[in-house]
Amino acid sequence: QSCHKVFKLTDEGRPPPVAGSDVWRRLHSTHMAKPALPRVLFGTSALGNLFVEPTHDEKKAVVEQVLKAVPTALFDSAGKYGAGLALEELGRCLEELGVEPEQVLISNKLGWKRVPLTTPEPTFEPGAWVNLKNDAVQAISYDGIMECYRQGNALLGKYEARIVSVHDPDEYLGAAADEADLEARRADVLGAYRALAELKAAGKVQSIGVGAKDISVVGFVSDPVP
């Protein structure tokens, strides 16, 4: 369960979608229309040096085993993972292993972008990431998500994320200082999903979603997002 403070997502206090509701059916039918996904996906935070710093060869060996385990591997990553290092290492590992872009699926949770490191250690999640050369800052808005999408694909090299979501919008809303700040953050989150909807409509991604610990945020974004 989320440990973040409870916040009001809509003026009506709309609850999250429940099984059988119109929103649930729409989300369910959309999901069912997508190509079949692997039953297991590989999270890539370890490629970003979470708590330890594996060598590149160790990282590549893990990626290679994932590729051998399933017909089409699905890797889940994020700009926040090692300030983009996980995306960078994933793209490098895949290319060195001779994997063609159409042979793999990549999910990128958008909302944090790489910036230069100007302090002794990264300013986000201090103590969690080992020996990073860059920092990351939150960028949840229309322009921020578009920038995260472009930067993420650049870090992946010849590969592109075809499944994208907003990373921790519940935490972003939960950090609001007051009602005015919360309203501004709500607008940022909706702008972020407008960006995702445009990427999907343009055929640049096949699926968009929510990466959140608090399911109530799904109800907030479900109606405005096509």
Side-chain angles (χ1 to χ4, degrees):
Q1 292 183 349
S2 173
C3 61
H4 305 290
K5 67 182 181 180
V6 176
F7 49 85
K8 184 181 178 185
L9 287 173
T10 65
D11 292 336
E12 299 80 14
R14 182 170 61 242
V18 297
S21 67
D22 290 341
V23 170
W24 181 90
R25 282 193 293 270
R26 176 153 53 86
L27 292 173
H28 182 67
S29 64
T30 300
H31 168 74
M32 295 301 289
K34 298 301 176 188
L37 299 177
R39 293 176 65 87
V40 178
L41 61 83
F42 174 66
T44 61
S45 57
L47 302 184
N49 296 357
L50 181 62
F51 300 126
V52 295
E53 184 183 8
T55 66
H56 173 69
D57 286 343
E58 288 172 332
K59 295 174 182 179
K60 184 166 70 172
V62 172
V63 171
E64 185 175 21
Q65 290 304 310
V66 173
L67 293 167
K68 291 179 178 178
V70 291
T72 302
L74 170 56
F75 294 90
D76 177 62
S77 198
K80 191 178 185 181
Y81 293 170
L85 179 62
L87 289 162
E88 205 166 34
E89 284 282 354
L90 176 60
R92 181 183 171 191
C93 289
L94 292 171
E95 184 159 15
E96 290 178 1
L97 291 166
V99 179
E100 293 301 321
E102 64 272 14
Q103 295 176 314
V104 66
L105 287 171
I106 298 173
S107 166
N108 188 10
K109 299 189 292 292
L110 309 176
W112 290 80
K113 65 179 181 179
R114 172 182 284 187
V115 297
L117 181 64
T118 59
T119 52
E121 70 170 322
T123 57
F124 72 105
E125 298 181 340
W129 306 94
V130 179
N131 197 23
L132 297 188
K133 309 304 182 186
N134 298 279
D135 204 352
V137 295
Q138 202 163 32
I140 293 183
S141 66
Y142 176 89
D143 291 335
I145 291 300
M146 287 298 196
E147 184 176 1
C148 289
Y149 171 74
R150 291 190 294 267
Q151 184 184 79
N153 283 345
L155 292 171
L156 285 167
K158 65 188 284 186
Y159 306 92
E160 293 185 355
R162 298 289 291 168
I163 302 170
V164 294
S165 60
V166 177
H167 201 178
D168 295 332
D170 51 337
E171 292 185 11
Y172 183 70
L173 293 172
D178 51 37
E179 281 298 319
D181 188 23
L182 179 57
E183 286 301 317
R185 288 170 181 259
R186 286 173 175 164
D188 286 341
V189 171
L190 292 180
Y193 277 94
R194 181 164 56 88
L196 294 192
E198 289 184 9
L199 290 172
K200 184 179 178 184
K204 294 182 178 180
V205 300
Q206 72 177 41
S207 300
I208 61 177
V210 182
K213 301 176 183 69
D214 187 338
I215 195 173
S216 61
V217 76
V218 178
F220 173 57
V221 302
S222 61
D223 284 345
V225 177

